[in-house]
């Protein structure tokens, strides 16, 4: 182990020695940490404190960067506490060496958007959410952390836990979909995966729950747009995944670009000081989003960059990503009495604490290990896991006439569509370390699977976006010559992601026309839809016999798809977001209210809450996803139908695999509070279990409904239950309820 190298650490070490042995070990550790932090803080000038709160981007850029040739000099003079977008053990070492030239030698903290893998790429988060598999999601985040940490990263700007109910918003790809319960489970799994057993382990990185808060509710799905949420929706729908991330130990939070009820989230005291650091007692630090402090000037909330810094710091935003407000203005703001130094100290302490916990004061390069990087980044064992998580994320939307799985003895396969030989698009929008050799295309996946057994012909047919149909004839001919057709269509990697909002969420370009032309051949057609968001594709949904929604699946996309196409893996994914029939239905989500004039929207539209030109029903409902086998539900039992206040209810049912193939089912439990002092959604997901069954096998499942699952915010915004009747629903999707019952909560 390296010896302490700076004055600050030497002081801290003395402090540690004084405490150990004089109290209990845990308390001693905590005191030791606080003393270490204070020992550094007391040496810092106001300028160095402001520098500690300052974060700059490096080489790669994920936002509107400012060209600043003085950055290195600023690092050397202690004016930078953290950098983002510096990749690799070597490069992080180089910059760390610069920080160690500063007066106090406080190491830099390196952060990066490791959203769904570093080099080994996993499915986009929305895709992974479709697995409803918390073990897999946690494992994927862990592998991402293992690789990123070996490449010098201390911190990932993930998970994004924003609830999203508008598929126009391109960042739906980065979250877990529309539901607060599923979103909370996934937030927890991702935080645990990234942070591993312990902050400071070299196979873990700090997690960052973002974007606090409400970012996913951008008006009209336009990125960075205004958010105006009721307090009820904020607390019931948008905050729970953040709370879950916090409870799982998330070390950091990122605030958001958007305003919320007229106050930009970055300058929002209610969010950051009252809720996060107050009520929730968050001990980590809050980083701003890219330039979001300075952008409060554009919002019309701050008069200049310095004023924005003042507002952000007062509101509880600890680190300034790329606005330069803190570094340039905080010292003067403190000296003029506009910002209390104690608040600056608190922000600095929060950041130093993490640097100590990461062990950076002992060894600033402990994460930047070239040998470990070489061994772990893209390791073959990681790819195996990536393949498995990718298979788990695929959703079988439709399988008419059991076109799937494909017969492995199939002789002639046509692969058609612009995404057939693509690699880049499987990487998605956030591929931080893209390397095309690390990706398996669908064509390669099919070739790997079928080998010489099948003749696989590929025809692109058209581009992803273009209007040309010049390739249609060749595509049709290729289809005619085949026994079965697999079509690979969808969005390009840069059509969903940050600043990738779309006003048209249809299948881009000529792709649906291509599907029509190919389906017209009469050959069995399987459509693979690859996208970062729910798309609308009504003609395909009605006419193509089989559809797999594959999102962007990452490094092992082609192999995972081939596993599912052939039945080597039986698909079990379920949609984490409702798929509309048209943009006119948006926002559409399953947990809607009944209204005073409820309607299915199919026939009874007169004076009902419905459309005259389209059903209310989505194309595919939340929770939908088929399997190659059939599951039957039975024997619903409730431990009681009259529940005393504060008591729990036990619900059991049997699940049988009634088909001939082993498979997994996600059994979903929904509740409805029938009458309450505040209207409640027609159904809310409250629990689920993913169950694996052999053919013919039956399992009994048990769920416990605690009083928390029956609670809601009453008219006074108190989290409480109210006596009365509840409807209980168990099923395979929000629109495929198999078992139904009622119980009463007594006074
Ligand atoms: C802006 C994005 O909103 C945020 O999620 C990301 O972490 C930062 N840029 C850094 O790239």
């Amino acid at each position: 182990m390296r010896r302490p190298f700076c004055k600050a650490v030497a002081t801290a070490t003395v402090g540690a020695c004084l405490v150990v042995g004089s109290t209990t070990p845990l308390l001693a550790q905590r005191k030791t940490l606080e003393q270490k932090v204070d020992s550094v803080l007391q040496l810092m000038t106001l300028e160095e404190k402001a520098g500690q709160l300052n974060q700059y981007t490096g080489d790669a850029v994920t936002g509107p960067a400012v060209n600043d040739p003085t950055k290195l000099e600023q690092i050397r003079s202690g004016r930078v506490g953290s950098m983002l977008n510096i990749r690799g053990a070597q490069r992080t070492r180089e910059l760390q060496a610069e920080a160690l030239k500063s007066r106090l030698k406080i190491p830099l903290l390196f952060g990066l958007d490791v959203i769904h893998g570093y080099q080994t790429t996993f499915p986009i988060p929305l895709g992974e959410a479709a697995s409803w598999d918390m073990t897999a999601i946690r494992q994927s985040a862990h592998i991402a952390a293992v690789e990123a940490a070996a490449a010098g990263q201390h911190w990932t700007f993930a998970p994004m836990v924003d609830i999203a109910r508008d598929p126009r918003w391109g960042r739906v790809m980065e979250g877990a979909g529309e539901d607060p319960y599923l979103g909370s489970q996934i937030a927890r799994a991702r935080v645990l995966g990234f942070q591993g057993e312990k902050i400071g382990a070299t196979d873990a990185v700090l997690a960052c729950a973002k974007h606090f808060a409400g970012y996913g509710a951008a008006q009209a799905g336009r990125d960075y747009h205004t958010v105006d949420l009721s307090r009820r929706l904020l607390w019931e729908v948008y905050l729970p995944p953040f709370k879950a991330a916090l409870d799982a130990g998330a070390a950091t939070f990122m605030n958001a670009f958007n305003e919320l009820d007229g106050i930009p989230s970055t300058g929002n005291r209610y969010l950051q000081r009252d809720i996060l650091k107050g009520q929730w007692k968050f001990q980590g630090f809050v980083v701003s989003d890219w330039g979001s402090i300075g952008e409060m000037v554009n919002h019309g909330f701050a008069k200049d960059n310095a004023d924005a810094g003042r507002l952000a710091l007062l509101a509880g935003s600890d680190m300034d990503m790329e606005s330069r407000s803190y570094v340039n203005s905080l010292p003067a703001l403190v000296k003029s009495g506009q910002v209390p130094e104690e608040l600056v100290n608190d922000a600095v302490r929060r950041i130093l604490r993490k640097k100590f916990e990461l062990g950076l004061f002992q060894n600033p390069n402990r994460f930047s290990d070239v040998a470990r990087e070489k061994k772990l980044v893209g390791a073959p064992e990681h790819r195996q896991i990536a393949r498995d998580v990718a298979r788990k994320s695929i959703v079988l939307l439709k399988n008419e006439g059991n076109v799937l799985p494909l017969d492995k003895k199939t002789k002639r396969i046509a692969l058609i569509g612009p995404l057939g030989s693509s690699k880049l698009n499987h990487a998605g929008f956030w591929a931080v370390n893209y390397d095309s050799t690390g990706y398996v295309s669908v064509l390669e996946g099919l070739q790997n699977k079928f080998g010489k057994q099948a003749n696989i012909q590929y025809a692109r047919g058209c581009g992803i976006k273009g209007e040309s149909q010049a390739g249609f004839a060749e595509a049709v001919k290729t289809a005619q010559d085949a026994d079965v057709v697999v079509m690979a269509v969808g969005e390009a990697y840069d059509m969903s992601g940050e600043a990738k909002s779309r006003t048209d969420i249809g299948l881009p370009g000529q792709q649906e026309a291509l599907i029509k032309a190919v389906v017209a051949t009469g050959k069995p057609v399987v459509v693979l839809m690859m996208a970062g968001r729910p798309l609308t594709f009504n003609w395909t949904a009605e006419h193509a016999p089989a559809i797999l929604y594959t999102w962007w699946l990452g490094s092992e996309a082609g192999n995972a798809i081939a596993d599912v196409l052939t039945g080597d893996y039986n698909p079990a994914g379920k949609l984490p977001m409702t798929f509309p029939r048209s943009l006119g239905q948006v926002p559409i989500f399953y947990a809607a209210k009944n209204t005073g004039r409820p309607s299915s929207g199919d026939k009874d539209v007169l004076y009902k809450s419905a459309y005259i030109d389209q059903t209310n029903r989505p194309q595919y409902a939340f929770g939908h996803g088929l399997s190659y086998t059939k599951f039957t539900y039975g024997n619903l039992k409730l431990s009681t139908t009259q529940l005393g206040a504060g008591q729990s209810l036990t619900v059991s049912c049997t699940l049988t695999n009634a088909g001939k193939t082993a498979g997994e089912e996600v059994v979903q439990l929904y509740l409805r509070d029938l009458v309450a002092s505040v209207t409640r959604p027609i159904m809310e997901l409250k629990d689920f279990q993913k169950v694996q069954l052999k053919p013919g096998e039956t399992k009994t499942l048990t769920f416990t409904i605690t009083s928390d699952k029956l609670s809601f915010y009453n008219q006074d915004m108190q989290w409480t239950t109210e006596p009365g009747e509840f409807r209980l629903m168990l099923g395979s999707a929000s629109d495929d309820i198999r078992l139904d019952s009622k119980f009463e909560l007594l006074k």
Side-chain angles (χ1 to χ4, degrees):
M1 181 189 287
R2 285 172 65 117
R3 295 182 61 78
F5 55 88
C6 75
K7 212 166 144 196
V9 171
T11 316
T13 311
V14 171
C17 295
L18 287 177
V19 174
V20 173
S22 64
T23 178
T24 59
L26 196 69
L27 203 61
Q29 264 175 30
R30 216 175 294 142
K31 272 200 178 166
T32 306
L33 175 64
E34 288 314 302
Q35 287 180 346
K36 284 178 182 171
V37 167
D38 281 340
S39 70
V40 178
L41 188 74
Q42 74 189 14
L43 299 174
M44 296 172 83
T45 63
L46 209 44
E47 284 68 26
E48 285 164 336
K49 288 178 187 173
Q52 216 29 235
L53 309 184
N54 183 33
Q55 186 188 50
Y56 283 152
T57 186
D59 324 325
V61 160
T62 50
V66 174
N67 181 18
D68 181 351
T70 70
K71 267 185 208 166
L72 269 190
E73 188 37 48
Q74 292 187 53
I75 295 173
R76 287 186 209 119
S77 57
R79 283 163 63 81
V80 184
S82 172
M83 299 275 300
L84 73 153
N85 292 331
I86 307 289
R87 275 179 308 155
Q90 191 50 42
R91 189 75 186 115
T92 47
R93 274 176 173 265
E94 284 164 18
L95 284 163
Q96 201 61 287
E98 296 300 324
L100 298 181
K101 291 178 189 162
S102 66
R103 190 178 76 90
L104 293 176
K105 301 178 171 38
I106 301 175
L108 288 169
L109 189 68
F110 293 111
L112 188 70
D113 290 290
V114 183
I115 306 298
H116 52 110
Y118 181 72
Q119 179 146 319
T120 306
T121 313
F122 291 82
I124 56 167
L126 186 63
E128 260 186 20
S131 72
W132 296 51
D133 189 323
M134 299 310 123
T135 310
I137 290 173
R138 183 170 170 170
Q139 200 177 19
S140 136
H142 175 63
I143 303 295
V146 166
E147 294 195 6
Q153 299 307 316
H154 308 134
W155 180 23
T156 176
F157 304 125
M160 185 187 103
V161 302
D162 296 308
I163 294 297
R165 293 177 162 184
D166 190 331
R168 287 173 293 190
W169 191 52
R171 293 196 86 168
V172 298
M173 58 86 61
E174 206 181 326
E178 74 184 44
D179 184 64
Y181 181 77
L182 180 60
S184 298
Q185 302 298 311
I186 292 175
R188 177 184 158 75
R190 290 203 168 122
V191 169
L192 294 176
F194 287 131
Q195 295 192 167
E197 293 300 316
K198 184 174 173 288
I199 289 176
T202 51
D203 64 352
V205 291
L206 305 179
C208 181
K210 68 187 190 185
H211 305 82
F212 196 65
Y215 182 44
Q219 282 175 358
R222 201 178 85 203
D223 209 0
Y224 319 125
H225 201 5
T226 308
V227 171
D228 196 1
L229 281 180
S230 69
R231 209 147 270 211
R232 174 169 310 286
L233 213 52
L234 177 70
W235 278 93
E236 285 184 356
V237 175
Y238 288 82
L239 290 184
F242 285 101
K243 182 63 168 45
L246 177 114
D247 290 343
T252 73
F253 269 51
M254 183 184 291
N255 57 38
F257 291 121
N258 58 280
E259 69 165 61
L260 186 72
D261 195 14
I263 302 172
S265 296
T266 303
N268 199 311
R269 281 183 200 229
Y270 171 63
L271 285 175
Q272 297 171 106
R273 290 232 183 262
D274 297 354
I275 300 177
L276 184 59
K277 292 177 177 176
Q279 202 173 324
W280 291 357
K281 301 188 169 52
F282 174 59
Q283 298 299 315
F285 70 87
V286 180
V287 62
S288 80
D289 204 343
W290 184 300
S292 69
I293 296 181
E295 287 173 19
M296 292 200 291
V297 176
N298 289 342
H299 277 285
F301 188 72
K303 61 177 187 294
D304 54 28
N305 204 39
D307 192 35
R310 178 182 68 83
L311 289 163
L313 201 282
L314 291 178
S317 181
D318 300 307
M319 185 182 278
D320 171 358
M321 182 193 288
E322 275 290 327
S323 285
R324 289 161 169 75
S325 309
Y326 285 1
V327 71
N328 291 338
S329 312
L330 272 186
L333 288 166
V334 171
K335 283 177 198 149
S336 65
Q338 294 180 72
V339 169
E341 186 163 3
E342 204 24 64
L343 286 188
V344 175
N345 288 347
D346 176 62
V348 174
R349 269 198 196 94
R350 287 169 182 270
I351 292 161
L352 291 179
R353 234 175 252 143
K354 294 303 158 210
K355 291 188 177 182
F356 272 110
E357 285 174 15
L358 286 164
L360 298 180
F361 280 100
Q362 280 77 27
N363 178 0
N365 288 319
R366 58 195 297 267
F367 289 81
S368 306
D369 181 329
V370 178
R372 204 170 58 234
E373 178 181 39
K374 211 160 166 201
K375 182 165 163 245
L376 294 175
V377 169
E381 61 272 24
H382 296 172
R383 297 192 64 103
Q384 277 313 312
I385 298 167
R387 179 170 180 164
D388 193 45
V389 181
R391 306 189 304 190
K392 289 184 161 134
S393 304
I394 296 172
V395 184
L396 178 62
L397 292 179
K398 183 177 178 187
N399 193 18
E400 219 168 66
N402 293 332
V403 170
L404 287 172
L406 301 182
D407 184 345
K408 281 202 186 150
K409 297 205 181 75
T410 307
K411 287 263 176 297
R412 298 172 306 164
I413 300 173
L415 174 64
I416 293 172
L419 282 124
S421 62
S422 160
K423 295 186 178 213
L424 176 63
N425 295 301
H426 297 303
F429 178 83
W430 285 113
V432 278
N433 211 19
Y434 179 72
D435 164 11
S436 64
T437 59
Y439 284 78
V440 182
S441 69
V442 177
L443 180 58
E444 289 168 343
L446 289 174
Q447 285 163 343
N448 294 343
K449 181 66 72 181
F450 286 90
K452 294 203 173 71
Q453 150 71 32
N455 176 5
I456 302 167
Q457 292 297 320
Y458 174 53
R460 190 158 176 270
C462 62
I464 296 177
K465 297 176 193 168
E467 291 307 313
S468 168
Q469 296 194 348
F472 275 31
E474 187 208 353
V476 168
K477 171 81 176 65
T478 308
Q480 278 162 343
D481 292 344
D483 304 316
V484 67
V485 184
V486 175
M487 297 200 67
V489 295
E491 288 185 310
Y493 77 95
D494 59 356
M495 295 182 78
S496 283
E498 186 182 344
K500 303 295 177 209
S501 297
R502 292 179 61 195
T503 60
D504 174 358
I505 55 165
L507 200 50
Q510 291 301 305
Q511 296 182 83
E512 199 153 44
L514 179 66
I515 298 172
K516 283 182 190 168
V518 171
V519 167
T521 62
K523 296 286 178 175
V525 174
V526 178
V527 178
L528 307 173
M529 286 274 178
M530 301 167 184
R533 53 156 61 85
L535 293 175
T536 51
F537 42 90
N538 296 344
W539 190 92
T540 304
E542 273 163 41
H543 298 95
I547 306 171
L548 287 165
Y549 215 79
T550 73
W551 320 98
W552 293 321
L553 287 177
S555 304
E556 285 287 325
N559 286 333
I561 287 169
D563 287 342
V564 169
L565 284 172
T566 53
D568 281 347
Y569 183 85
N570 186 357
K574 301 276 186 181
L575 296 179
M577 220 178 144
T578 304
F579 275 44
R581 284 168 199 267
S582 68
L583 210 48
Q585 292 181 319
V586 170
I588 181 170
F589 47 90
Y590 83 92
K593 297 288 184 73
N594 204 35
T595 81
R597 296 197 174 184
S599 160
S600 70
D602 282 343
K603 291 189 192 79
D604 56 340
V605 295
L606 200 58
Y607 298 113
K608 293 286 174 70
S609 180
Y611 302 100
I612 56 171
D613 57 354
Q614 196 168 60
T615 171
N616 286 1
R617 286 180 297 111
Q619 186 63 263
Y620 298 107
F622 174 85
H624 171 76
L626 305 173
S627 163
Y628 296 152
T629 189
K630 289 264 167 293
F631 296 99
T632 54
Y633 289 61
N635 298 311
L636 177 61
K637 287 193 190 118
L638 276 61
S639 57
T640 176
T641 51
Q642 295 206 312
L643 192 64
Q647 288 179 354
S648 297
L649 170 71
T650 307
V651 177
S652 65
C653 73
T654 53
L655 180 75
T656 303
N657 182 345
K660 295 195 173 65
T661 317
E664 284 173 293
E665 168 74 322
V666 179
V667 176
Q668 302 160 39
L669 186 152
Y670 297 90
L671 289 178
R672 176 173 179 187
D673 188 341
L674 290 167
V675 181
S677 61
V678 172
T679 62
R680 305 303 306 149
I682 47 176
M683 59 201 307
E684 291 179 277
L685 183 73
K686 292 291 178 181
D687 208 347
F688 60 86
Q689 286 182 36
K690 190 165 184 178
V691 189
Q692 186 150 35
L693 291 178
K694 296 189 201 89
E697 191 182 350
T698 297
K699 274 189 186 156
T700 300
L701 315 181
T702 307
F703 297 89
T704 306
I705 299 179
T706 54
S707 136
D708 203 47
K709 291 188 191 291
L710 306 176
S711 300
F712 66 99
Y713 289 98
N714 67 11
Q715 293 191 8
D716 300 322
M717 288 304 286
Q718 286 159 341
W719 182 247
T720 186
T721 54
E722 285 177 0
E725 254 193 334
F726 287 80
R727 184 175 168 210
L728 172 103
M729 295 155 270
L730 277 168
S732 182
S734 63
D735 69 343
D736 186 7
I737 296 303
R738 307 287 182 86
L739 301 168
D740 197 318
S741 185
K742 275 187 188 167
F743 63 91
E744 189 186 352
L745 181 64
L746 302 172
K747 279 200 181 104

